[in-house]
């Protein structure tokens, strides 16, 4: 692939940005010309944000896997598509060339077909970070099945809810997954999730850890057996083929569940063509990817970052993507950087929470590492504090690597606001400028655009986007009204991100964090209502309120105020409540602090005043704001005194 769409200078960025706003259809059609289409589009864009209806490249026909794999085979067949580093550094690594990836994806597609999976069927994928996870995702895309990857840290109950919501009929999983010293028994979790399930017909199990698993006759089948059988079907005279399904540009590619301010996660739906174009375009431009460079994104494919920047974006661009099975601190805190040296990684993309946790080890994470292969660094998932930014810059980038602070969301599919590495300037803790095609604006509570700077000369407001980009979500699975209400109803004709932001006089954006009841814990989104629902499941809990508080490593920690009627030991009860949350949602949602209270600050209409609870959790005792509307102001004193 050549890169006519790669921006090479600040001037070019300015020009492209201008074109993209003045003539968006022309702009995106030119970008789309860099891809492989079975048939070109009838219309570039049709949209309104009221329904919402968003259609990009309608009428075009394609298959994303032909773009991510087949079209590279002639020129890069023997180049590495995926480099896989196992949890245990002593174990054999795997280099998956584009040829090999093609073969494996064709096999998976055939295996799925053999088991009755058809275009449009939902396939839930619950696996560790093994190459087979990438094959599974791409195999679904090859036959047009809609994948829904669930992160390995979610519980059986969370999986059951997602299976039900997506009406999934197929699951691909592993016996277990390695994470540092732990083995997570994934298949057992799936078995629990399937109790009472009526839709799932087949569970395909890949063997990774040799963890004992139950295999139910007629339902559970082994990946290895199925793949071997499929191999004979796709390979003839040394040539591998599996005809990819022809997809419409707007056909759904995948569902990915994410938390919102209600108790139930939403299935964000992305469409084939727009998602492909935008992930590849943003990948090449933000990271300024050059052929042959090795790109290491440390995310898990269970999150959007892994979908867009381990799998689809890099592969669509013909890049080499490094996939890591383990965790940053195993077997030691220098693991990320050992990997960088081992493979001579050029671009490293990680989360501020990982940087902050490594900072706690002094110079141990990097002191024995060379790191000279690194050219570009990136961060994602949460605001990066200046201290972490400078640590990353000095000790990892050795002050010679541009750092891109990439702001985006599950719903946006790809990076919307970021500097372009080495092209547009970085500003520590600022995501900086919108990518071409992205039209952000800040609005006040009433939806009016903020135009008056504050005393620091900054505009401050809620971050919205006023024009669609190709990888914007299309709907929330099975409930379009929910999509409208969540993202398009707060402010008419705008997509509302849920984030607050500042804008400086040069047009740079700084994301300040969520303005809704959503927490960002270690870069993971968790709805407070979801955690409250889980806590309330514990017997003896009458009511609870969950808020975030600043946490040195996680960014935000989870603080739960709980009204509890039992008479048990407080510490034991805390542990039981934590276990309950782990069971209902997963270990990622465990509260960091639990305070038992006799009442919650409520208005006369019964609404919990979270503002007060948030302040107390943050350690503020004086300026709690107006408490006169409270039904029982006395409760605030008690809560203040009992802070944990
Ligand atoms: O609050 C923003 C924060 O993460 C949220 C999106 O979470 P999720 O959909 O899980 O996707 C995370 C990875 C793309 C946003 O609403 N966020 C993401 N990136 C940044 C950020 N906050 C500040 N700076 C960022 N670079």
């Amino acid at each position: 692939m050549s890169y006519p769409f790669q921006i090479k200078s600040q001037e070019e960025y300015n020009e492209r940005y201008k074109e993209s706003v003045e003539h968006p259809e022309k702009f995106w059609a030119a970008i789309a010309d860099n891809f492989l289409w079975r048939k070109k589009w009838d219309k570039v864009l049709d949209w309104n944000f009221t329904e919402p209806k968003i259609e990009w490249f309608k009428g075009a026909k394609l298959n994303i896997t032909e773009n991510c794999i087949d079209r590279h085979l002639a020129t890069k067949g023997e180049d590495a598509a995926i480099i896989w580093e196992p949890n245990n550094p002593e174990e054999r690594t795997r280099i998956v060339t584009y040829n090999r990836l093609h073969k494996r994806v064709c096999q998976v597609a055939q295996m799925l077909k053999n088991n009755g999976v058809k275009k449009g069927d939902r396939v839930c994928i619950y696996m560790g970070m093994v190459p087979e996870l990438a094959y599974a995702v791409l195999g679904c895309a090859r036959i047009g099945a809609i994948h829904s990857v669930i992160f390995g840290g979610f519980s059986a109950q969370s999986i059951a809810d997602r299976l039900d919501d997506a009406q999934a009929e197929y699951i691909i999983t592993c016996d277990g997954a390695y994470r540092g010293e732990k083995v997570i028994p994934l298949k057992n979790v799936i078995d629990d999730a399937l109790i009472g399930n009526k839709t799932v017909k087949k569970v395909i199990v890949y063997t990774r850890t040799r963890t004992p698993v139950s295999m139910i006759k007629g339902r559970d089948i082994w990946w290895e057996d199925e793949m071997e059988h499929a191999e004979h079907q796709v390979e003839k005279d040394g040539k591998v083929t599996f005809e990819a399904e022809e997809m419409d540009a707007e056909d759904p590619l995948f569902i990915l569940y994410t938390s919102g301010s209600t108790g139930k996660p939403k299935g964000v739906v992305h469409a084939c063509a727009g998602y492909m174009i935008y992930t590849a375009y943003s990948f090449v431009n933000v990271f300024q990817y050059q052929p042959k460079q090795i790109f290491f994104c440390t995310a898990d494919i269970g999150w959007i970052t892994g979908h867009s920047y381990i799998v689809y974006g890099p592969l669509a661009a013909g890049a080499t993507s490094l996939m890591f099975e383990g965790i940053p601190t195993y077997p030691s805190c220098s693991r990320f950087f050992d990997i960088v040296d081992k493979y001579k990684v050029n671009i490293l993309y990680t989360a501020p929470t990982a940087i902050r946790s490594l900072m706690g080890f002094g110079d141990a994470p990097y002191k024995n590492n060379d790191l000279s292969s690194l050219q570009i660094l990136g961060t994602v998932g949460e605001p990066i504090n200046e201290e972490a930014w400078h640590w990353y810059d000095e000790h990892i980038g050795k002050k010679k690597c541009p750092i891109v602070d990439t702001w985006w969301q599950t719903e946006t599919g790809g990076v919307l606001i970021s500097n372009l590495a080495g092209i547009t300037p970085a500003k520590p803790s600022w995501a900086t400028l919108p990518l071409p095609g992205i039209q952000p604006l800040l609005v006040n509570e009433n939806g009016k655009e903020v135009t008056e700077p504050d005393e620091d000369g900054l505009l401050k407001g809620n971050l919205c986007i006023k024009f669609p980009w190709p990888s914007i979500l299309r709907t929330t699975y099975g409930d379009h009204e929910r999509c409208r209400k969540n993202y398009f109803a707060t402010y008419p004709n705008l997509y509302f991100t849920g984030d607050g932001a500042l804008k400086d006089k040069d047009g740079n954006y700084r994301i300040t964090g969520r303005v809704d009841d959503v927490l960002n814990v270690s870069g993971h989104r968790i709805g407070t209502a979801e955690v409250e629902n889980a806590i309330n499941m514990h017997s003896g809990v009458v009511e609870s309120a969950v808020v975030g508080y600043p946490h040195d490593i996680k960014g935000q920690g989870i603080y739960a105020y709980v009204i509890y009627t039992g008479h048990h030991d407080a510490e034991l009860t805390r542990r039981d409540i934590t276990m309950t949350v782990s069971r209902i949602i997963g270990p990622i949602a465990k509260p960091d602090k639990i305070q038992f209270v006799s009442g919650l600050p409520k208005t006369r209409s019964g609404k919990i005043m979270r503002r007060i609870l948030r302040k107390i959790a943050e350690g503020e005792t004086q300026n709690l704001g107006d408490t006169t509307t409270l039904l029982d102001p006395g409760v605030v004193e008690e809560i203040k005194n009992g802070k944990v």
Side-chain angles (χ1 to χ4, degrees):
M1 186 182 184
S2 61
Y3 297 107
F5 64 13
Q6 189 163 13
I7 294 166
K8 296 277 176 43
S9 65
Q10 168 92 55
E11 296 66 47
E12 209 182 327
Y13 164 78
N14 296 342
E15 269 169 41
R16 286 291 156 83
Y17 188 79
K18 191 161 173 283
E19 277 166 34
S20 76
V21 172
E22 288 173 2
H23 308 287
E25 298 189 20
K26 198 167 144 218
F27 173 82
W28 285 114
I31 299 297
D33 270 335
N34 290 278
F35 295 82
L36 183 67
W37 302 93
R38 296 251 185 112
K39 172 185 171 283
K40 288 269 176 99
W41 47 92
D42 302 323
K43 192 165 185 209
V44 176
L45 173 65
D46 195 1
W47 73 289
N48 71 65
F49 275 172
T50 30
E51 292 176 54
K53 169 175 146 179
I54 302 148
E55 291 177 342
W56 280 97
F57 306 104
K58 189 74 183 158
K61 302 287 178 196
L62 77 157
N63 186 288
I64 195 168
T65 68
E66 290 183 336
N67 281 274
C68 289
I69 308 172
D70 303 45
R71 68 172 168 152
H72 306 313
L73 296 180
T75 53
K76 311 187 167 176
E78 286 307 301
D79 287 0
I82 296 173
I83 296 175
W84 178 74
E85 167 74 5
N87 179 61
N88 176 353
E90 311 278 296
E91 198 188 321
R92 189 174 61 90
T93 68
R94 288 159 70 181
I95 311 283
V96 184
T97 62
Y98 274 95
N99 281 332
R100 177 51 60 102
L101 181 64
H102 176 248
K103 178 170 172 181
R104 292 287 180 252
V105 170
C106 286
Q107 278 175 264
V108 174
Q110 182 69 51
M111 162 174 81
L112 294 172
K113 188 173 164 194
N114 292 346
N115 283 286
V117 186
K118 298 176 305 299
K119 177 178 175 180
D121 288 348
R122 275 80 53 220
V123 179
C124 160
I125 303 177
Y126 186 67
M127 299 173 87
M129 284 284 286
V130 284
E132 284 70 17
L133 165 53
Y135 308 159
V137 162
L138 292 162
C140 287
R142 191 136 183 120
I143 64 166
I146 302 171
H147 57 77
S148 166
V149 184
I150 301 179
F151 175 62
F154 281 111
S155 69
Q157 183 63 54
S158 293
I159 299 168
D161 294 345
R162 286 159 171 76
L163 289 172
D164 183 48
D165 188 85
Q167 292 288 292
E169 291 179 319
Y170 304 90
I171 297 179
I172 308 177
T173 189
C174 298
D175 52 351
Y178 293 119
R179 279 184 71 74
E181 298 198 347
K182 288 197 214 140
V183 177
I184 319 285
L186 298 181
K187 172 63 165 61
N188 288 350
V189 180
I190 289 291
D191 287 338
D192 287 348
L194 285 177
I195 296 169
N197 176 287
K198 298 227 163 35
T199 55
V200 173
K201 296 179 190 157
K202 286 270 161 72
V203 180
I204 303 174
V205 185
Y206 171 72
T207 314
R208 170 65 186 130
T209 55
R210 305 213 159 268
T211 304
V213 293
S214 71
M215 292 294 280
I216 306 296
K217 197 180 291 165
R219 188 195 72 183
D220 299 351
I221 50 180
W222 293 109
W223 167 286
E224 292 76 8
D225 297 346
E226 297 293 313
M227 284 288 274
E228 197 186 318
H229 178 54
E231 185 169 10
H232 301 303
Q233 296 170 279
V234 298
E235 199 165 31
K236 288 204 180 71
D237 308 323
K239 219 179 150 277
V240 176
T241 43
F242 182 95
E243 185 65 18
E245 185 75 30
E246 188 167 281
M247 304 294 283
D248 190 274
E250 279 297 317
D251 279 337
L253 174 63
F254 66 84
I255 306 172
L256 187 59
Y257 284 87
T258 190
S259 295
S261 21
T262 64
K264 196 170 161 264
K266 306 174 280 246
V268 168
V269 177
H270 282 289
C272 292
Y275 178 81
M276 167 182 82
I277 290 165
Y278 196 81
T279 52
Y281 181 73
S282 54
F283 170 73
V284 165
N285 279 291
V286 169
F287 300 104
Q288 286 293 304
Y289 186 82
Q290 298 298 325
K292 303 271 181 207
Q293 280 183 326
I294 296 180
F295 179 78
F296 177 18
C297 167
T298 69
D300 191 290
I301 295 179
W303 307 106
I304 191 68
T305 308
H307 280 63
S308 301
Y309 299 111
I310 294 177
V311 183
Y312 287 112
L315 296 179
T320 299
S321 178
L322 197 150
M323 182 175 173
F324 172 41
E325 184 182 33
I327 57 169
T329 49
Y330 178 82
S332 83
C333 63
S334 63
R335 188 64 194 277
F336 277 175
F337 311 118
D338 296 345
I339 296 173
V340 167
D341 285 348
K342 181 169 173 184
Y343 300 100
K344 308 234 170 321
V345 167
N346 306 110
I347 308 173
L348 174 66
Y349 189 32
T350 194
T353 187
I355 298 171
R356 286 192 301 265
S357 74
L358 295 178
M359 282 166 70
F361 293 93
D363 62 1
Y366 56 82
K367 75 166 188 256
N368 295 320
N369 294 78
D370 173 47
L371 301 180
S372 63
S373 60
L374 284 175
Q375 296 171 336
I376 285 153
L377 303 176
T379 69
V380 58
E382 50 177 318
I384 179 160
N385 48 313
E386 290 204 29
E387 199 193 348
W389 195 97
H390 287 293
W391 186 91
Y392 201 31
D393 182 38
E394 261 169 53
H395 301 299
I396 308 307
K398 313 293 182 199
K399 290 200 166 247
K400 65 172 177 56
C401 301
I403 300 179
V404 289
D405 176 350
T406 65
W407 173 84
W408 57 296
Q409 310 178 295
T410 305
E411 295 85 347
T412 70
V415 174
L416 296 199
I417 303 182
S418 171
N419 47 320
L420 309 182
I423 304 288
T424 60
K427 184 169 174 181
S429 86
W430 289 67
T432 75
L433 299 172
L435 264 66
I438 308 305
Q439 303 186 38
L441 83 165
L442 300 179
V443 300
N444 66 16
E445 295 291 301
N446 308 319
K448 274 199 71 130
E449 184 163 2
V450 178
T451 48
E452 281 303 308
D454 64 8
E455 60 271 24
D456 300 319
L458 302 172
L459 301 177
K460 183 173 185 211
N462 291 344
L463 180 62
C464 294
I465 318 279
K466 64 178 170 207
F467 195 87
W469 60 98
S471 63
I472 186 173
L473 86 161
R474 299 302 194 265
T475 189
T476 45
Y477 193 78
D479 192 350
H480 194 62
E481 175 59 9
R482 190 159 178 220
C483 172
R484 188 189 69 80
K485 268 205 195 123
N486 258 290
Y487 306 105
F488 300 94
T490 317
Y491 307 115
N493 295 319
L494 297 175
Y495 166 80
F496 177 42
T497 64
D499 280 325
L502 301 171
K503 185 181 179 185
D504 73 9
K505 61 175 183 3
D506 301 321
N508 292 306
Y509 287 87
R510 176 184 195 156
I511 314 304
T512 48
R514 303 287 305 192
V515 293
D516 52 9
D517 287 326
V518 173
L519 306 181
N520 190 327
V521 180
S522 301
H524 300 149
R525 243 160 95 172
I526 298 174
T528 49
E530 254 180 277
V531 184
E532 287 164 7
N533 288 349
I535 293 175
N536 297 348
M537 299 278 283
H538 183 72
S539 62
V541 170
V542 178
E543 198 179 2
S544 62
V546 165
V547 296
Y549 71 97
H551 187 288
D552 284 349
I553 290 173
K554 298 179 175 184
Q556 270 189 310
I558 303 179
Y559 196 116
Y561 297 91
V562 177
I563 305 178
Y564 183 74
T565 54
H567 297 290
H568 304 289
D569 175 273
E571 206 35 59
L572 273 181
T573 308
R574 276 199 185 94
R575 278 197 259 159
D576 290 347
I577 290 176
T578 305
M579 181 50 89
T580 311
V581 175
S582 231
R583 278 258 176 246
I584 304 291
I585 306 176
I588 51 168
K590 284 197 273 194
D592 297 276
K593 293 187 180 180
I594 296 174
Q595 178 180 347
F596 295 110
V597 295
S598 65
L600 292 166
K602 289 190 178 172
T603 60
R604 286 188 183 84
S605 59
K607 210 173 150 280
I608 298 174
M609 293 195 70
R610 291 164 180 283
R611 174 175 54 80
I612 295 176
L613 294 175
R614 226 174 278 134
K615 285 209 161 161
I616 297 175
E618 283 165 8
E620 174 76 63
T621 48
Q622 298 307 316
N623 305 313
L624 295 180
D626 182 13
T627 53
T628 51
T629 53
L630 285 182
L631 190 62
D632 173 14
V635 82
V636 174
E637 268 318 293
E638 180 215 301
I639 295 176
K640 266 196 327 204
N641 297 334
K643 187 178 173 309
V644 287

